[in-house]
Amino acid sequence: MVKMNHMKSGIFKIGSLLAAFLFVSFFGFAQDFAPWPVPDEASVVKNPVEANKTSLEAGKSLYTLQCKACHGETGRGDGLIKAASLVSENFQSQTDGAILWKLHQGRGQMPSFKALPDDQLWNVINYVRSLSKKPEDIIMKNAVVSLFFNEKAEQKELTAKVEQVNDNGEKLPAQGIKVNVGVQKYFGILPISSTSNYTSENGEINIVFPNNIIGDENGELTIIASVDDMEFNPARVSENISWGQINPKDYWSERRALWKNNDYIPLWLLISFTVGAISVWLVIMYVALLVRKIKIEGDKSGLSD
Amino acid sequence: MVKMNHMKSGIFKIGSLLAAFLFVSFFGFAQDFAPWPVPDEASVVKNPVEANKTSLEAGKSLYTLQCKACHGETGRGDGLIKAASLVSENFQSQTDGAILWKLHQGRGQMPSFKALPDDQLWNVINYVRSLSKKPEDIIMKNAVVSLFFNEKAEQKELTAKVEQVNDNGEKLPAQGIKVNVGVQKYFGILPISSTSNYTSENGEINIVFPNNIIGDENGELTIIASVDDMEFNPARVSENISWGQINPKDYWSERRALWKNNDYIPLWLLISFTVGAISVWLVIMYVALLVRKIKIEGDKSGLSD
Amino acid sequence: MSATPNSTSESGNKTYEQIREDLIRPLHNNSFWNQVWIRFLIIVIVLGAVAYGHQLIKGLGLTAMRDYSAWGMYISNFVFWVAVSLIGSLISAILKLLTQNWANPISRISEMIALGAITMAGASIVIDMGRPDRVLNIPLHGRIQSPIVWDFFVVNTYLVISAILLYLPLIPDIAILRDRMTKAPKWQRKIYEVLSIGWQGTQEQWRLLKKSIRIMIILILPVAFSIHTVTSWLFAVTLRTGWHSTIFGPYFVAGAFVAGSAAVVIAMYVFRKRLKLQDYLTDHHFNMMNKLVVLTLLIYLYFNINEYLVPGYSWKRLDGDHLQELLMGHEAPLFWMTQILGMVLPIILLLFKPMRKPLPSMVIALFVLIGAWIKRFLIVIPTQFHPQFPIQNVPEHFTHYIPTYTEIAVSLATLAGALLIITMLVRVFPVVPIWEEAHDRGIHKIFKAEK
Amino acid sequence: MSATPNSTSESGNKTYEQIREDLIRPLHNNSFWNQVWIRFLIIVIVLGAVAYGHQLIKGLGLTAMRDYSAWGMYISNFVFWVAVSLIGSLISAILKLLTQNWANPISRISEMIALGAITMAGASIVIDMGRPDRVLNIPLHGRIQSPIVWDFFVVNTYLVISAILLYLPLIPDIAILRDRMTKAPKWQRKIYEVLSIGWQGTQEQWRLLKKSIRIMIILILPVAFSIHTVTSWLFAVTLRTGWHSTIFGPYFVAGAFVAGSAAVVIAMYVFRKRLKLQDYLTDHHFNMMNKLVVLTLLIYLYFNINEYLVPGYSWKRLDGDHLQELLMGHEAPLFWMTQILGMVLPIILLLFKPMRKPLPSMVIALFVLIGAWIKRFLIVIPTQFHPQFPIQNVPEHFTHYIPTYTEIAVSLATLAGALLIITMLVRVFPVVPIWEEAHDRGIHKIFKAEK
């Protein structure tokens, strides 16, 4: 019985180990949303950076790089993994200092950002604060963006012009506005403007268009320009132009039927698969029939015994 | 015996067929250099195109495309396959009309060029005539070429300048000279100038430098500009500049020892190969020893019999 | 390997009754240890089920699968189970067609392992789905061009064929059990009654049975090759570095025979010890079976050399990145451990006859089997960290894969599941075929009316 | 395939003397037809030698090899001969180790074919060299990293091993010939005298001989696999589309067994007819040998599916270009002809027993063998017309490859050379092993002192 008791305790050990594994696993998950107390001395730290446009823009770009993936574009915690909402009452009620402390610490899936200079983190905090402001709190200006194409002998140039629209419908060139220009590709927009493209005093940015972008079979491309400025409502324009390299319509890649839906299924494949599948199952059924015969034979023989 | 005769004749048939094959094969080869008579009415045709610079240049580029591979750069018949020399007495003694006729006809490995317009063929004939002129027949001018680099915010520009050097050492800008500009790559020069780059009146050509050329680990490139004009002696300049994309020194591709010489042989390969090879031959020798033992055993046993 | 035509061994000559009782005896054995083992397996399965339930509710976020490694431990388990399941066809079909009669007493063990493994292969795929309720969409709306559809078809077909191939040679044995196991619980006697389908051993019944078995061992071969080749194509037809390899089909099949053979050696050892079958699973069987392990390992080694040397010689950029990680970088310790402890060393050791005895060969087989699992992990996971298009804006911890407790718990449950299936089969059916064993020993008594 | 343990057949029981005389008789036969055949082969060889001499003087410009197809017919011949030569190891080593005794009477035929083929494989490589006098630079200055060096080593090693493996089982037979062929020409008697190395058939001699044979049939296996795997790597380790394929090693080995088995069936048919060996190369042997052909064809079909489906599914640009040419374009007629007439149709036909009779199976084997040659041509040549870097400034006729008369004449001479080697071997040595045949029929008379 000693042996048995020993054994039983062994089982219980393994069992409880497994249970502990699972518990830790679940708890480890739940933990992310457990309270996260901040020391008082950290909470009282004041944010030295003014939430001006520069700070907000810098904060936004850092947020996009480091935070967006988990916390989501609008900070609602709806990124790739489940993360805390940054627009919740709960979050926004903290002091800036408390947020900075958390950024320094990190916890669970949230990494520590101690390596980044504090002023950059303050920018992010300013930006995160701005996320919770309701849209109606801010008066957004309106703008229109337009595209001009200019083809010289050896070089293609593209001009994007941003004009601010006044309340009375007047258009005036808007200076210092960031404009993103890109080419529509299969999986998104390929940027062709640099990240620091701000409009000049006449509201324009000029971009030398690269020669190596592949278009459709006519070399046609869709160019998209959009205003990326916190004080303006989103504005965007898209134009088509044949500035791309010609992508010859390739019969075989068009017909790469194996990658397409069932309407394009190659006959040889349909036949091989169907014939193969049916014959295997016909043989199985034939064997089932043989087994049935064995049973019938047994019943007969059993009777005659 | 009828059967035997029949058989014999069969063997002879197959044999003579094979012999004929071989004969045709050898003769077909020799034929290329056999006389190639031209009808009189073809020989008397006059060349209507003057052998001026335009004609010679057009002729040269067509020659490079269609003739050079076999007849060689200088027409000595030393191209990829053995072909007739175009600078020989024998060849040059023909009339232009006779050459045109041969270009039209083609023979053996020499294809017919009937598909090309006659005036282009005349250009080639003019050029081929020029090949046999001894260098001292032509007075070549001297030129120097120099390179200037100009880097704007977003764009790199390169200027190649050609100056003609007079007998008294003066340099004057040379207009209308073709300049080839390229980047030195592993297997040759990658052209970055278009084929129709002729210098402007100040002796310059300007080239927008492409951004996508890969340099060495510092992005350094060697730019080569050369004068390509029939009236000038060859002139060439090469300069280094860090305009290329950086090609990070890749430890593993540097060390791709399998592609290198025996000094770089990886130890594991040396050991596997040597050990494998030696052990196989040791086993073979062991079996040879066993066979020797069989012989010794046989001799013994044979004696005792 | 060379075979001795007759598998009689040191056990001497036994009568039919002795053989029958020897092989039936384990079915009466409902020992404490057996109970403990079964309950342990059930606990593991229940814990895994809880973890799976949690995953079902919370989603695959509970696993470590992310943008890079969209396939994780579950898929490498799937490949592993498919691999192990192939052993049924190797031993029951290939060796039988090659008239290697020494393998007859082992054939049922291999079929039981095959059935347990292929069931868990199917389970692993469903476990890997975020929405398992949509599994029927595969046959209903699947693209026939997709290897997933082929795989769905062959896995299910192989499951059915494995079950039939286990069942058919069991019929005469079940009839014996029906007649002999009169003291067994009612449910068990009912099973025997139904499954023996009125077997009387008449000449006609034998003819029909032998014909059925013959058909099935031929049919299982193309299906077995298909199942693992198609499984390999799930990887190989993508353009991904490390997967897009023409050799993958035969490479996977060769690896499967290694994993399955090792599993059989382990099972043989356990059954021999626990069920006291020393007279039926003799040293000779271990000797021959381990020669088979060496043979499969040598073939697998040959395929490994081809799989790594060809891209390794050319060292294309992405191939090079992948191979550097695998052969010299982050994955190298695990990789070389697997290759050496799971392949090279077993080959060398098993060339010596003493190593082919039960205990040492079982230990070696354990290394081979664990190596086989790690190898599949290495084929599935690290490959995904060298995508042809960069993946952007992901947190740093997406760039490596460490299975979560949920995945580990669920995976352990599939292992326990397979073991439970095998255990229950061994509880109810004799692990060595009674009639075949008697027949191989020259006893034809039970073949009532056989010619 | 399944084997019957004993290969005695419809010929009934013969005495040892009958067997000996039956198998020696062909050696006396110096018929008119035989003379014609030998002279015909010599004429073809002389013509080929003239063509080769011409090539030697004029250079490889006489061949159709140019910038694109830098490898031509000579290299595809080389691959073909290497492939055929592997049959020696399959029949003499693999089948023997698998105790498939039915193959014993065929083993010497397969070894003779192997020797003829491997000699011509070596010759083909030298023929392909523009400066054959520099062949010794390979072992002297070769880069050990280069598969060419490995190939040089294994081809020569395999040549030696093939010769030894042909010679060893011949020793007892040569001793018989030494004693019986007293009326043979002097040179022939001298050969027997020397090569029989004083064989007396003592127990010790038998022990040593059997040990030697056993060692050699194990040694030949890794060397045989190496030779064709390394030959495949000559292609596979380059980055060329259509060659850079991890499966190439086993794919070539599988194809080799197909080509060799077909060659054996043809040789069996010819020897049976010409040497009147109906009692020794029976319908049973044809039946079994053709089952082997089907098995090798099925394995080869499996590798073919993997080799074409994996890149065909992904259809990368250059793969696509190559496969389009091969499957649907310029090479498609030849490709599908080869695949269907040389693989699929033979598989289907040989499943029916009447097709495995001597005459029909010989015709099928001819198709298989010709298909095997064309397949190698298709692997070597068309692939080269899709280079990764464009080739510039070449005449239009460089962009396709049609062998010149020189190449055809030289290639025919290598074929004649292999046939001449086999013919001369058959002239001097018995094609079916006398002592093994007697032994298999239960006659132990000649094993003087064997236990």
Side-chain angles (χ1 to χ4, degrees), chain B residues 247-248 250-253 256 258-259 268-269, chain C residues 309 312-317 320-321 324 328:
Chain B
N247 190 4
D250 175 351
Y251 177 71
W252 290 112
S253 80
R256 279 197 299 194
L258 285 174
W259 285 104
W268 65 265
L269 181 67
Chain C
L309 193 136
Y313 196 101
S314 344
W315 207 266
K316 273 191 296 189
R317 183 155 294 277
D321 290 351
Q324 191 199 321
M328 294 163 272

Side-chain angles (χ1 to χ4, degrees), chain C residues 251 300-301 304 308 334-346 375:
Chain C
Y251 175 53
Y300 192 48
L301 176 67
N304 267 277
Y308 293 113
L334 206 56
F335 177 79
W336 289 111
M337 209 183 73
T338 312
Q339 297 291 78
I340 291 168
L341 295 184
M343 185 162 60
V344 178
L345 220 58
K375 188 69 191 289

Side-chain angles (χ1 to χ4, degrees), chain A residues 5-18:
Chain A
N5 278 335
H6 187 70
M7 184 61 213
K8 267 196 178 156
S9 90
I11 296 171
F12 285 137
K13 259 188 204 157
I14 296 170
S16 58
L17 190 73
L18 272 167

Side-chain angles (χ1 to χ4, degrees), chain B residues 4-276:
Chain B
M4 187 180 151
N5 277 335
H6 186 69
M7 184 62 213
K8 270 197 177 153
S9 89
I11 296 170
F12 286 136
K13 257 187 207 160
I14 296 169
S16 58
L17 190 71
L18 274 166
F21 270 12
L22 294 171
F23 183 74
V24 169
S25 151
F26 302 161
F27 184 70
F29 182 76
Q31 204 184 37
D32 286 352
F33 302 99
W36 191 2
V38 179
D40 287 346
E41 65 272 22
S43 282
V44 298
V45 173
K46 287 275 171 290
N47 181 348
V49 179
E50 193 199 344
N52 56 15
K53 196 179 162 185
T54 321
S55 166
L56 288 174
E57 284 193 344
K60 183 183 181 183
S61 58
L62 191 57
Y63 180 88
T64 307
L65 216 59
Q66 298 287 352
C67 320
K68 180 179 144 183
C70 300
H71 292 284
E73 182 146 19
T74 57
R76 272 159 190 77
D78 51 356
L80 293 169
I81 63 167
K82 191 127 185 67
S85 165
L86 307 181
V87 295
S88 64
E89 186 60 39
N90 197 13
F91 181 88
Q92 291 281 345
S93 63
Q94 301 173 86
T95 64
D96 285 7
I99 302 177
L100 185 76
W101 182 84
K102 289 183 175 177
L103 285 172
H104 279 173
Q105 294 296 314
R107 185 181 69 159
Q109 304 225 62
M110 161 93 178
S112 160
F113 292 98
K114 226 170 202 157
L116 294 173
D118 276 1
D119 51 344
Q120 291 194 24
L121 296 180
W122 289 125
N123 288 337
V124 172
I125 293 170
N126 284 336
Y127 177 69
V128 166
R129 289 291 183 203
S130 79
L131 287 173
S132 71
K133 291 204 184 108
K134 292 191 191 74
E136 53 263 39
D137 294 354
I138 315 156
I139 301 152
M140 298 287 275
K141 296 183 231 173
N142 287 318
V144 291
V145 58
S146 36
L147 277 168
F148 304 94
F149 300 99
N150 179 10
E151 196 162 353
K152 289 178 199 166
E154 292 258 324
Q155 187 172 319
K156 296 170 189 125
E157 268 191 15
L158 183 153
T159 304
K161 181 168 186 166
V162 182
E163 288 161 306
Q164 184 179 342
V165 185
N166 286 352
D167 295 341
N168 47 15
E170 269 185 313
K171 291 184 187 172
L172 292 167
Q175 190 187 351
I177 310 295
K178 193 168 161 206
V179 184
N180 296 325
V181 184
V183 180
Q184 181 69 51
K185 301 293 286 181
Y186 212 77
F187 287 113
I189 294 169
L190 176 75
I192 55 171
S193 57
S194 78
T195 49
S196 51
N197 267 140
Y198 293 93
T199 52
S200 65
E201 58 211 8
N202 54 2
E204 296 182 352
I205 62 161
N206 292 305
I207 294 161
V208 179
F209 194 83
N211 278 318
N212 52 0
I213 294 180
I214 293 164
D216 62 10
E217 64 267 40
N218 304 315
E220 196 151 292
L221 298 171
T222 302
I223 316 287
I224 290 167
S226 58
V227 170
D228 181 19
D229 190 281
M230 310 193 81
E231 297 175 0
F232 283 87
N233 282 319
R236 167 187 170 111
V237 65
S238 93
E239 302 258 6
N240 288 351
I241 189 161
S242 299
W243 276 6
Q245 288 180 13
I246 285 167
N247 190 4
K249 245 204 186 317
D250 175 351
Y251 177 71
W252 290 112
S253 80
E254 274 298 297
R255 295 272 301 167
R256 279 197 299 194
L258 285 174
W259 285 104
K260 299 200 169 178
N261 65 33
N262 272 335
D263 299 340
Y264 291 83
I265 187 167
L267 205 62
W268 65 265
L269 181 67
L270 186 65
I271 293 172
S272 336
F273 182 76
T274 323
V275 169

Side-chain angles (χ1 to χ4, degrees), chain C residues 40 48 53 55 60 64 69 75 81 142 154 166 168 185 226 254-255 270 272 276 369 375 404-406 408 419 449:
Chain C
F40 167 70
Q55 173 189 307
L60 288 175
S69 62
I75 295 292
W81 288 123
V154 285
L166 172 63
L168 288 179
S226 297
V270 173
R272 177 185 151 109
K276 310 209 167 28
L369 193 63
K375 188 69 191 289
T404 61
Y405 291 124
T406 309
I408 293 169
L419 293 175

Side-chain angles (χ1 to χ4, degrees), chain C residues 119-251:
Chain C
T119 311
M120 287 307 134
S124 294
I125 280 290
V126 176
I127 288 166
D128 189 61
M129 297 178 77
R131 291 286 304 265
D133 50 305
R134 294 187 182 173
V135 68
L136 280 181
N137 284 1
I138 298 172
L140 293 179
H141 306 295
R143 295 168 49 250
I144 299 178
Q145 297 98 308
S146 166
I148 299 277
V149 172
W150 313 342
D151 217 39
F152 183 86
F153 172 77
V154 285
V155 168
N156 285 302
T157 305
Y158 191 71
L159 177 60
V160 171
I161 293 180
S162 293
I164 295 176
L165 196 52
L166 172 63
Y167 172 62
L168 288 179
L170 258 177
I171 294 176
D173 284 4
I174 295 176
I176 296 168
L177 299 175
R178 175 194 61 195
D179 302 339
R180 306 288 311 169
M181 296 281 286
T182 43
K183 280 170 283 174
K186 203 180 168 200
W187 61 267
Q188 200 168 341
R189 275 183 289 134
K190 186 73 193 163
I191 286 177
Y192 296 145
E193 180 62 36
V194 171
L195 289 183
S196 64
I197 53 165
W199 178 264
Q200 304 287 339
T202 67
Q203 191 169 351
E204 177 64 9
Q205 282 187 322
W206 275 110
R207 196 187 62 78
L208 290 168
L209 184 66
K210 295 214 158 172
K211 187 175 171 189
S212 304
I213 293 175
R214 178 97 193 155
I215 292 172
M216 290 313 286
I217 65 177
I218 289 168
L219 182 67
I220 200 172
L221 283 179
V223 178
F225 270 75
S226 297
I227 183 177
H228 217 35
T229 304
V230 170
T231 300
S232 84
W233 286 348
L234 295 181
F235 301 90
V237 298
T238 69
L239 284 172
R240 201 180 272 278
T241 308
W243 288 351
H244 188 54
S245 174
T246 46
I247 208 176
F248 252 43
Y251 175 53

